[in-house]
């Protein structure tokens, strides 16, 4: 039974963190709202050849369909998939319901998106696994949606763990289990290790965190600089990041996927100007208390390769944005463009890694 009382401040140093991740959130909501879609492969978004999926149901994922996949590719993999339009206002309303449930257990909530969040429940005497089960039970009772959870002493491991018993499950990594858990963990699961870094590690015979632990801190620093020191700690399950209640917005951006691929940089300029005007309006209406740090332009080409180019600026500089557009287009060596994005990055009070803008 969940013990409904809390530890006094300072009474314990043990961290109890939960990462809650809703299962196929948008798709699950659509299946809840439209019973005829239950049990069928569905994708949210992706309408038309240029559309991209926001998410896909588990039934669709069995065919290799995934989020961020073009709708036409999803149809190739799963011809029977049902593509439904995105309804963000509905998803936001349900997300608010879920977040209200989180608030019954802790005030220390760090939302990562509409469908996932970190919760710090260190102040409870109860087993955090029991708290996670109760949260998941209340979510299902009140929304008819399922969630998975990871329970661990830090954010890195909690997020990894929440993916291990999906869907509708949870996984616990207790403090004394961290060393063995990390030895077997693929390095690709570490925060910041993308495909390129993973390929470099593989070339060195490093596949797991246990493999990476063979290198001492000096060797890691010499090879990868400051990031190497951080990797030295992460591969050992060391992560002191606190659950941040208030997440500062990093950027304001707009992007569009063209119905037909666009050839020629001059053909992109009107769209760039229009979107940057919207970015400027958003900044003026809500964020004038924040300094602009830089202007960013993103291009995705017809072959799905992409480039992002950024330069420091103190304002929404249209001339600079156009120059970045020309420079970015030149990187594509004449390839047609399927997506254009533009925005400004906002100055941060903290010296930390910038989140991906788009």
């Amino acid at each position: 039974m969940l013990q409904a009382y809390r530890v006094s401040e300072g009474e314990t140093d043990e961290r109890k963190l939960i990462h809650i991740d809703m299962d196929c959130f948008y798709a699950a909501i659509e299946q809840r709202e439209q019973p005829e879609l239950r049990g069928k492969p569905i994708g949210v978004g992706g309408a038309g050849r240029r559309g991209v999926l926001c998410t896909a149901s588990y039934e669709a994922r069995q065919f290799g369909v995934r989020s961020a996949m073009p709708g036409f590719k999803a149809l190739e993999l799963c011809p029977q998939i049902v593509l439904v339009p995105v309804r963000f206002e509905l998803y936001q309303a349900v997300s608010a319901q879920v977040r209200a449930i989180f608030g019954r257990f802790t005030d220390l909530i760090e939302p990562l998106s509409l469908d996932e969040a970190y919760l710090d429940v260190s102040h409870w005497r109860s087993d955090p696994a029991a708290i996670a089960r109760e949260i998941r039970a209340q979510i299902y009772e009140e929304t008819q949606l399922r969630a998975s959870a990871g329970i661990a002493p830090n954010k890195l491991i909690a997020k990894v763990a929440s993916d291990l018993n999906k869907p509708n499950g949870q996984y616990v990594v207790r403090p004394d289990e961290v060393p063995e858990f990390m030895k077997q963990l693929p390095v690709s699961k570490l925060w910041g290790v993308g495909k390129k870094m993973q390929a470099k590690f593989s070339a060195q015979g490093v596949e797991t965190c246990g493999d990476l632990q063979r290198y001492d801190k000096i060797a890691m620093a010499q090879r990868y600089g400051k990031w190497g020191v951080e990797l030295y700690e992460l591969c050992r399950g060391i992560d002191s990041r606190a659950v941040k209640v208030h997440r500062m917005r990093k950027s304001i951006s707009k992007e569009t996927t063209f119905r037909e691929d666009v050839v020629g940089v001059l053909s992109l300029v009107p769209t760039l100007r229009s979107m940057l005007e919207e970015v400027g309006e958003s900044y003026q209406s809500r964020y004038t208390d924040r300094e602009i740090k830089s202007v960013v332009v993103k291009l995705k080409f017809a072959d799905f390769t992409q480039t992002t180019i950024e330069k420091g600026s103190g304002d929404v500089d249209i001339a600079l944005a156009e120059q970045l557009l020309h420079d970015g287009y030149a990187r594509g060596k004449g390839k047609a463009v399927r997506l254009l994005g533009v925005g400004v990055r906002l100055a941060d009070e903290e010296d930390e890694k910038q989140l991906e803008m788009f």
Side-chain angles (χ1 to χ4, degrees):
M1 183 176 178
L2 194 63
Q3 293 177 298
Y5 56 94
R6 308 185 179 203
V7 174
S8 300
E9 185 176 352
E11 189 173 326
T12 179
D13 294 325
E14 180 184 341
R15 291 213 297 168
K16 302 175 183 178
L17 304 189
I18 301 172
H19 178 257
I20 297 283
D21 193 4
M22 301 298 294
D23 297 331
C24 290
F25 188 52
Y26 300 168
I29 292 174
E30 294 297 344
Q31 289 177 321
R32 182 192 72 177
E33 297 295 301
Q34 305 178 67
E36 67 275 13
L37 297 179
R38 293 175 189 172
K40 294 182 179 180
I42 73 165
V44 178
R49 186 172 179 81
R50 312 300 296 184
V52 175
L53 297 186
C54 292
T55 191
S57 67
Y58 283 110
E59 295 87 354
R61 294 184 186 191
Q62 293 176 1
F63 293 86
V65 178
R66 53 176 173 76
S67 60
M69 176 177 284
F72 74 88
K73 182 65 175 179
L75 286 165
E76 288 177 2
L77 294 173
C78 181
Q80 66 271 40
I81 192 171
V82 180
L83 300 180
V84 298
V86 177
R87 296 193 285 177
F88 274 119
E89 288 187 3
L90 172 61
Y91 311 149
Q92 289 170 341
V94 179
S95 178
Q97 275 186 279
V98 173
R99 200 166 299 174
I101 294 172
F102 296 160
R104 298 169 191 168
F105 296 85
T106 181
D107 295 327
L108 300 177
I109 304 165
E110 180 179 350
L112 301 180
S113 61
L114 291 181
D115 62 347
E116 63 175 318
Y118 288 113
L119 285 69
D120 188 330
V121 295
S122 304
H123 52 289
W124 284 87
R125 291 186 186 274
S126 298
D127 181 356
I131 297 174
R133 280 193 296 271
E134 181 63 24
I135 291 172
R136 291 172 49 237
Q138 291 190 22
I139 289 173
Y140 183 73
E141 180 179 348
E142 297 179 29
T143 70
Q144 291 75 59
L145 300 173
R146 302 187 187 280
S148 296
I151 302 96
N154 64 49
K155 292 166 78 171
L156 166 69
I157 301 175
K159 185 169 175 63
V160 172
S162 68
D163 200 42
L164 296 181
N165 269 340
K166 270 187 167 290
N168 193 33
Q170 60 183 59
Y171 193 95
V172 183
V173 181
R174 303 191 185 282
D176 61 346
E177 298 170 342
V178 168
E180 189 60 32
F181 179 82
M182 294 304 300
K183 284 182 181 179
Q184 307 302 321
L185 189 70
V187 289
S188 60
K189 297 292 186 181
L190 294 180
W191 176 62
V193 176
K195 291 182 179 179
K196 290 183 179 179
M197 181 64 78
Q198 187 179 350
K200 290 181 180 179
F201 282 145
S202 294
Q204 299 166 24
V206 174
E207 301 292 344
T208 68
C209 289
D211 296 332
L212 194 57
Q213 289 173 17
R214 296 197 300 261
Y215 298 91
D216 62 30
K217 186 178 292 188
I218 294 176
M220 291 292 290
Q222 289 174 337
R223 186 179 292 265
Y224 302 111
K226 182 179 179 181
W227 175 228
V229 176
E230 191 166 352
L231 278 175
Y232 175 86
E233 295 186 342
L234 291 176
C235 75
R236 289 165 171 78
I238 302 170
D239 179 11
S240 59
R241 291 176 297 159
V243 170
K244 295 182 180 179
V245 178
H246 300 291
R247 292 177 61 84
M248 183 173 290
R249 181 159 186 168
K250 304 292 181 180
S251 61
I252 309 168
S253 62
K254 295 285 293 185
E255 65 177 45
T256 186
T257 299
F258 299 109
R259 291 183 179 275
E260 301 292 339
D261 296 336
V262 177
V263 179
V265 67
L266 294 180
S267 299
L268 297 167
V269 171
T271 303
L272 177 89
R273 290 176 175 172
S274 176
M275 290 196 300
L276 194 60
E277 184 178 341
E278 291 185 53
V279 169
E281 290 174 354
S282 179
Y283 175 75
Q284 289 296 329
S285 64
R286 299 180 61 187
Y287 301 103
T288 51
D289 60 325
R290 302 278 304 283
E291 292 184 3
I292 293 174
K293 180 179 179 181
S294 59
V295 173
V296 185
V297 171
K298 171 185 173 182
L299 293 165
K300 181 179 287 186
F301 300 103
D303 61 358
F304 287 89
T305 60
Q306 67 181 46
T307 186
T308 301
I309 187 164
E310 177 176 356
K311 190 169 184 179
S313 175
D315 57 19
V316 184
D317 190 332
I318 183 63
L320 175 59
E322 289 187 23
Q323 182 59 54
L324 295 181
L325 174 64
H326 280 79
D327 293 345
Y329 187 81
R331 293 179 180 180
K333 298 180 179 179
K335 287 184 289 190
V337 174
R338 64 175 278 110
L339 178 148
L340 173 64
V342 63
V344 294
R345 205 178 297 279
L346 302 175
D348 197 343
E349 294 177 355
E350 301 177 10
D351 183 20
E352 63 182 13
K353 284 185 172 60
Q354 294 292 337
L355 299 178
E356 182 62 29
M357 184 171 183
F358 293 99

